[in-house]
Amino acid sequence: MSVLKPTLSTTPRATARLQFHKGFTLDDAAKIVPYLSALGISHLYASPILKARAGSTHGYDIVDHHEINPELGGLPSLRRLVAVLRHHAMGLLLDIVPNHMGVGGADNHWWLDVLEFGPASMFANFFDINWHPADPNLTGKLLAPFLGAAYGDVLESGDLKLRLDKETGRLYFDYFEHYFPLSPRSAALVLRGVEGAADISRAFANAARMRHPAVESEKAKEALKNFAATHMPALEEIFVRFTAPRALHELLQRQHYRLAWWRTASDEINWRRFFDINTLAGLRVELPKVFNATHGFLLGLYAEGLIDGVRIDHIDGLADPRAYARKLRRAMAEAGMARPPEAAQGMPYIVVEKILAPWERLDRNWQTDGTTGYDFMDQVAAVLHNPEGEAPLSRLWENLTGRPAAFAAEEEPARRQILRDNLASELHSLAAQLHHAAQREFHTRDYTLSAIRRGLREILVHFPVYRLYAGQAGGSAVDAQMLERAIAGARRSYRPADVGIFDLLRKWLLTEPPRALPPNARRADRLRSMVSFQQLSAPTAAKSVEDTAFYRYGRLLSRNEVGSSPGQFALSPAGFHNLMAARRRSFPGALLATATHDHKRGEDTRLRLAVLSEIPDEWERMVTRWTRLNNLIREQAGPDMADELMLYQMLVAGWPLGLEAKDASSIDAYGNRVMEWLRKAMREAKRHSEWAAPNETYEAAAKRFLFHCLDAARPVLDEIVSFSRRIGPAGAMNGLAQTLIRLTAPGVPDLYQGTEYWDQSFVDPDNRRPVNFTARIASLSKPLPDIADWQDGRLKQGIIGRALNLRAQCPEIFAAGRYEKLTARGQAASHVLAFRRSHAQGEIVTAVTRLAGKFDPGQPKLAEHVWGRTSLTIGAGEWEDVLTGERRSLRGSIRLAALFSCLPVALLRRV
């Protein structure tokens, strides 16, 4: 299949997301560019490619912002890839990570410099470190929670050793993969007893007294490196003295960091992390020098024409997302003035990773092209769910598990747990900042630290969105509305006598902005507190909702997806059309995603599960029978009924197409994949097990239960296979509907690697498995297979290729064309969703089958009698079905039995 090769633009027509790591490099990607071009992709969309921690499978743990990851092939490989892309008139989008860097280990030179020199390091304010926390023992220090056991146990174990780095002359503590440099003052102390090293000791001591000690310290380290070449035995003799725990402890006390067990971080950490991950430290890109240091190389890539746009990872982690996005656009536009003529032309393309509540809209003043598509992924899935299934599935979940039917009842305790167990230090630090402000004024000095902390906790527990976006001048009307909603919820769960705290917190967090205060320390402290609150509410939401409550609430797992609200069960066609029309008006260039590297379930796994919303009574009969049959194998140790019911959903939703019950080896492989999901689900839920303290007994019992379910000698396996086959065709219809809508709705369709075939994946790492591109390349040039041969995925690929080919032929219809909902008439009108895209360049109609599960189709196509005389009015004239090649002359409408005679979806073009 060939597509037109238009002039390359920075704004993509369609993207293909690839995950890079040492097993799939930039040169590997170059090999599949011709295939992606033939499929109809305009831009390759790359995961982070800057130098990350060695062996990183995702690239979000960047350790050097000035280098392409050598494991991916480095800059030469990037140039080769871009040359191939340009040959095929394709561009490159890059995932960038401004919020955080990988720390710990021995590979982040900025971080090691901070450990060595503390507040005097030239990188001390690159990271979001509180050098004056409430704990006086951490004044001028940062907590280094990288020990695998309690501090005292590590000192006594002998695992922490004093060493000399012979390449740099730096003294450091060696602890497995970690590298903790000594401060100049303590290096001087260590060397004081080494014969012949007195001058070096004094050099380190002098460096320690300087305001900027790095230069003098480098001279001392060079001298030590030369000294060690002939005096290493003497140094090693000194090192032995520091193997004693007491001596080691006293030396550690002199550092600019406090080594600690990793579990202390949740209570005592004094620097911002990405969520609660100790190996990812927050950056302060709001500072010009940090922005320049972290973006200079990227801007150079853009100026050279090697990249054409960016995806901003976790923009809600930044101090001021709006200011950052606008500054980045200005910087890229300025850098773009130097782009070579053969590079893609146009304004830089910028999208943001942003989780939006169902009622929330991205601010156009950010000057971005939109989001990465989580919002669309939610909307297109919701319109393919039957709202009539909500009540019976809610009853089933509540009756079988005893857990609440309402998602909010799971979310609130999850938020409380995360603030107590994972983000307690961040909450305490914010409360301490505000308590300090309260002590300055006589009319607020009686508000205690505990009262402020309790009030903040209640607001965060009830916070309806990820964060506010308030700054020096305060916030917007939307910010005020969101905070009021949170305060209203907090008041309902708070002691009536103490609700006055919320009036004060409202003022501090929003209504009395820093600009209203005198230009002194109070103004700076107020801004810092406001930002700290905003940077705490985002990880609170992410960790408690997506990473906890999503794994506790199992009414229907297809609605537990990144960007979705499980409390919203379905979306009406009218509601969907309204959202698409709004998308066309506000963000016509936003990405349209249905699968990502972060999804909880693959796009077709999710849509097979959606079939259960159509047949809740049938599903209830099956799981009730399975739970009864499995009474014989269920152990007291576990799993409980909530985990069991979620397991059944995943077994039938992810069951590989064509897998037979008698194929023992393949079933065993599938069981191992499911077990990886189940283990992660149990630990994320934090009910019976968790990452910090795995419950091996419960997990082992759950594993035995799973493999008993997959035992061919038991009746449950045959019934799972049979039921999966029962919902498979309807799930495939959902999947094709979702696919064609994504390819033709307002926005830029994004294809996640490999999902041009059926995507029955689970959460990561399952959704990052290697892709068989050889098979995909071979099948692309073949004719569209018959509907009877739907299971191998070639049908889905063929539809994608034909739709993307159409986008290449008439891009303006999709980039700027009007959006108009179309309404069917007749007995099955509710089972079709259709819309028109029109422009001076032409007119197309998309029509898809929806809610077909109750008809129990044997293949992904409804029988003619189901449609009856149902028709769709699209307009008189000649129309061609782009997918099948069939032409029709219409008087104005078409019977759906005819429209869907070959496929459950149709893409018509007026000819």
Side-chain angles (χ1 to χ4, degrees):
M1 181 183 298
S2 62
V3 299
L4 297 178
K5 294 181 179 178
T7 301
L8 180 59
S9 168
T10 50
T11 300
R13 188 181 67 248
T15 63
R17 169 76 179 210
L18 296 179
Q19 294 297 116
F20 288 99
H21 47 82
K22 66 180 180 181
F24 186 83
T25 67
L26 296 167
D27 286 321
D28 292 324
K31 297 172 185 176
I32 65 169
V33 165
Y35 161 71
L36 295 175
S37 176
L39 187 63
I41 298 299
S42 71
H43 285 64
L44 191 153
Y45 168 21
S47 64
I49 62 173
L50 297 186
K51 185 178 180 182
R53 180 131 296 153
S56 175
T57 59
H58 49 76
Y60 290 97
D61 46 356
I62 292 170
V63 296
D64 191 338
H65 283 274
H66 301 91
E67 182 181 0
I68 301 297
N69 197 337
E71 292 188 344
L72 307 183
L75 188 57
S77 289
L78 177 62
R79 294 190 192 282
R80 289 193 292 270
L81 171 60
V82 172
V84 177
L85 288 168
R86 283 181 180 167
H87 177 73
H88 289 83
M90 291 175 63
L92 177 63
L93 305 180
L94 183 59
D95 196 342
I96 65 171
V97 191
N99 178 69
H100 54 266
M101 288 186 77
V103 297
D107 44 13
N108 186 328
H109 297 297
W110 293 355
W111 181 256
L112 294 179
D113 196 85
V114 173
L115 293 180
E116 184 172 1
F117 300 114
S121 167
M122 63 182 297
F123 304 108
N125 61 357
F126 274 46
F127 300 97
D128 214 343
I129 302 168
N130 182 2
W131 294 105
H132 300 282
D135 181 357
N137 292 318
L138 281 174
T139 299
K141 296 175 179 279
L142 62 84
L143 189 75
F146 301 109
L147 300 182
Y151 174 78
D153 294 340
V154 170
L155 265 58
E156 292 179 344
S157 71
D159 291 332
L160 185 70
K161 301 178 178 67
L162 183 60
R163 299 278 195 230
L164 171 69
D165 186 331
K166 296 180 182 179
E167 293 185 5
T168 65
R170 177 187 268 163
L171 291 170
Y172 71 101
F173 295 106
D174 178 48
Y175 180 73
F176 297 103
E177 75 274 21
H178 296 291
Y179 183 112
F180 303 108
L182 268 66
S183 67
R185 191 180 305 278
S186 63
L189 178 65
V190 169
L191 295 172
R192 191 176 300 165
V194 180
E195 185 177 353
D199 289 344
I200 303 174
S201 175
R202 281 193 293 271
F204 275 113
N206 289 335
R209 287 191 288 269
M210 303 190 72
R211 183 177 180 183
H212 301 291
V215 174
E216 291 302 317
S217 184
E218 286 302 311
K219 295 177 182 178
K221 284 185 279 190
E222 184 65 26
L224 179 57
K225 183 171 65 173
N226 295 333
F227 178 81
T230 55
H231 295 77
M232 196 62 204
L235 290 172
E236 290 176 343
E237 183 179 341
I238 289 294
F239 295 164
V240 170
R241 298 181 188 177
F242 291 97
T243 58
R246 176 57 62 182
L248 195 56
H249 168 67
E250 291 176 354
L251 185 59
L252 284 166
Q253 289 289 90
R254 297 174 179 269
Q255 307 310 317
H256 295 296
Y257 50 86
R258 182 195 135 199
L259 282 188
W261 189 16
W262 66 269
R263 297 189 67 172
T264 64
S266 62
D267 288 326
E268 297 189 344
I269 202 161
N270 62 327
W271 45 273
R272 183 171 61 86
R273 302 169 288 176
F274 172 70
F275 296 168
D276 60 346
I277 301 174
N278 294 348
T279 54
L280 297 175
L283 287 167
R284 299 187 65 194
V285 292
E286 68 273 18
L287 301 180
K289 68 176 182 179
V290 181
F291 180 92
N292 294 337
T294 53
H295 291 71
F297 181 70
L298 290 169
L299 293 171
L301 297 179
Y302 183 73
E304 192 177 338
L306 296 179
I307 64 172
D308 304 301
V310 296
R311 173 233 196 225
I312 303 172
D313 179 66
H314 190 50
I315 195 168
D316 274 344
L318 306 183
D320 190 340
R322 175 183 177 275
Y324 169 80
R326 292 166 66 95
K327 181 174 183 176
L328 179 62
R329 179 165 291 284
R330 292 194 302 271
M332 292 183 71
E334 183 177 348
M337 297 175 68
R339 285 169 70 85
E342 65 271 18
Q345 301 303 307
M347 294 298 293
Y349 182 74
I350 301 173
V351 289
V352 297
E353 183 198 29
K354 175 79 180 82
I355 303 296
L356 295 166
W359 60 85
E360 191 180 10
R361 300 292 176 263
L362 185 65
D363 189 345
R364 295 177 67 181
N365 287 328
W366 288 16
Q367 298 182 358
T368 71
D369 290 284
T371 73
T372 56
Y374 293 143
D375 46 345
F376 175 80
M377 184 161 67
D378 166 53
Q379 294 155 5
V380 72
V383 79
L384 297 172
H385 282 69
N386 191 337
E388 295 178 3
E390 180 173 10
L393 288 176
S394 296
R395 286 194 299 270
L396 174 64
W397 172 253
E398 190 170 37
N399 292 339
L400 280 184
T401 68
R403 300 194 67 81
F407 179 70
E410 290 284 17
E411 179 180 346
E412 181 177 326
R415 283 177 173 265
R416 293 187 186 282
Q417 182 175 348
I418 290 299
L419 288 168
R420 182 190 69 231
D421 297 344
N422 300 75
L423 300 174
S425 180
E426 288 83 351
L427 176 60
H428 180 77
S429 177
L430 173 59
Q433 292 175 38
L434 294 175
H435 182 246
H436 178 69
Q439 296 304 296
R440 286 175 168 170
E441 304 291 339
F442 65 84
H443 55 276
T444 58
R445 64 179 297 175
D446 282 345
Y447 285 99
T448 65
L449 176 62
S450 294
I452 293 170
R453 184 168 54 239
R454 287 195 303 270
L456 285 170
R457 182 180 63 236
E458 290 305 309
I459 290 176
L460 290 165
V461 162
H462 294 91
F463 215 70
V465 290
Y466 254 51
R467 60 170 286 173
L468 305 176
Y469 299 96
Q472 284 281 7
S476 66
V478 173
D479 289 328
Q481 183 182 16
M482 294 302 102
L483 184 57
E484 283 307 312
R485 288 185 61 171
I487 290 175
R491 284 177 179 273
R492 289 192 297 270
S493 59
Y494 212 68
R495 182 183 174 190
D498 296 332
V499 295
I501 188 66
F502 297 117
D503 294 329
L504 186 61
L505 290 174
R506 180 191 296 107
K507 182 176 75 171
W508 282 339
L509 299 177
L510 186 65
T511 60
E512 186 181 80
R515 188 174 292 176
L517 301 175
N520 53 26
R522 288 180 58 204
R523 178 181 287 189
D525 288 349
R526 176 64 55 82
L527 179 62
R528 178 181 168 213
S529 298
M530 291 172 64
V531 170
S532 294
F533 174 78
Q534 294 166 50
Q535 290 181 314
L536 175 56
S537 66
T540 299
K543 290 301 297 178
S544 59
V545 179
E546 294 146 33
D547 291 348
T548 303
F550 273 17
Y551 292 96
R552 295 179 177 181
Y553 183 74
R555 176 176 66 182
L556 187 58
L557 292 178
S558 52
R559 296 302 296 140
N560 296 16
E561 190 51 81
V562 179
S564 298
S565 173
Q568 181 186 26
F569 189 81
L571 179 65
S572 70
F576 178 79
H577 288 308
N578 289 338
L579 289 168
M580 294 305 103
R583 177 182 294 275
R584 184 254 175 191
R585 291 190 301 270
S586 300
F587 291 103
L591 287 183
L592 306 174
T594 49
T596 75
H597 63 288
D598 277 336
H599 65 229
K600 303 298 186 185
R601 273 153 285 278
E603 62 182 36
D604 298 305
T605 307
R606 191 184 317 126
L607 271 296
R608 189 190 290 177
L609 267 176
V611 178
L612 302 185
S613 72
E614 306 174 55
I615 53 170
D617 294 339
E618 188 176 341
W619 174 242
E620 180 175 6
R621 287 194 298 272
M622 294 307 302
V623 296
T624 300
R625 173 174 165 78
W626 294 343
T627 56
R628 179 170 51 81
L629 290 173
N630 283 335
N631 281 334
L632 296 173
I633 62 171
R634 191 178 298 107
E635 302 175 32
Q636 185 175 359
D640 71 1
M641 194 55 65
D643 285 336
E644 184 176 338
L645 187 53
M646 287 189 280
L647 174 61
Y648 292 145
Q649 291 184 54
M650 292 302 285
L651 283 171
V652 299
W655 192 267
L657 292 165
L659 178 57
E660 301 287 343
K662 60 185 178 182
D663 188 348
S665 61
S666 295
I667 286 179
D668 187 63
Y670 178 59
N672 288 329
R673 286 180 54 214
V674 175
M675 187 59 217
E676 286 301 306
W677 165 81
L678 181 58
R679 181 180 294 109
K680 182 169 186 173
M682 291 184 294
R683 293 183 181 182
E684 295 284 19
K686 306 170 191 68
R687 294 190 305 115
H688 300 291
S689 189
E690 58 179 309
W691 296 108
N695 184 336
E696 296 179 2
T697 301
Y698 185 87
E699 291 182 6
K703 182 176 182 179
R704 287 190 293 271
F705 182 87
L706 163 62
F707 280 94
H708 281 311
C709 289
L710 299 178
D711 186 347
R714 302 191 65 254
V716 171
L717 176 60
D718 284 331
E719 295 186 11
I720 287 174
V721 174
S722 177
F723 189 81
S724 179
R725 288 175 180 163
R726 152 75 177 92
I727 63 174
M733 277 190 271
N734 282 342
L736 295 179
Q738 173 179 250
T739 296
L740 190 58
I741 293 171
R742 182 182 83 236
L743 299 174
T744 56
V748 177
D750 174 43
L751 177 77
Y752 181 66
Q753 59 179 30
T755 60
E756 59 269 41
Y757 278 11
W758 300 118
D759 175 21
Q760 303 294 156
S761 65
F762 303 140
V763 72
D764 66 278
D766 191 72
N767 59 8
R768 302 175 190 178
R769 288 173 295 157
V771 176
N772 183 354
F773 283 110
T774 302
R776 287 161 173 78
I777 292 169
S779 63
L780 182 62
S781 59
K782 296 179 181 179
L784 192 72
D786 186 85
I787 193 71
D789 300 320
W790 63 276
Q791 293 197 10
D792 62 9
R794 292 180 296 123
L795 178 64
K796 182 182 178 186
Q797 181 196 43
I799 289 173
I800 291 171
R802 283 156 178 79
L804 291 181
N805 188 11
L806 179 63
R807 290 186 72 101
Q809 293 172 12
C810 43
E812 290 304 314
I813 294 178
F814 299 96
R818 293 179 292 276
Y819 180 93
E820 176 191 354
K821 69 177 181 180
L822 299 177
T823 305
R825 297 176 182 273
Q827 67 188 50
S830 64
H831 297 284
V832 64
L833 185 141
F835 55 85
R836 185 196 318 272
R837 304 297 309 280
S838 57
H839 184 268
Q841 197 176 57
E843 182 179 350
I844 69 103
V845 166
T846 295
V848 302
T849 306
R850 65 185 289 267
L851 307 185
K854 71 177 183 179
F855 301 109
D856 195 9
Q859 58 184 12
K861 182 174 73 71
L862 288 181
E864 183 177 345
H865 73 271
V866 173
W867 294 115
R869 300 176 63 83
T870 308
S871 64
L872 181 70
T873 300
I874 63 173
E878 293 287 324
W879 294 86
E880 177 189 14
D881 190 328
V882 175
L883 304 181
T884 65
E886 184 177 357
R887 288 199 174 198
R888 293 184 174 91
S889 180
L890 302 179
R891 294 183 178 180
S893 64
I894 184 171
R895 295 277 180 87
L896 294 185
L899 182 63
F900 296 138
S901 61
C902 296
L903 296 172
V905 297
L907 179 57
L908 304 180
R909 179 183 184 182
R910 186 185 288 276
V911 293

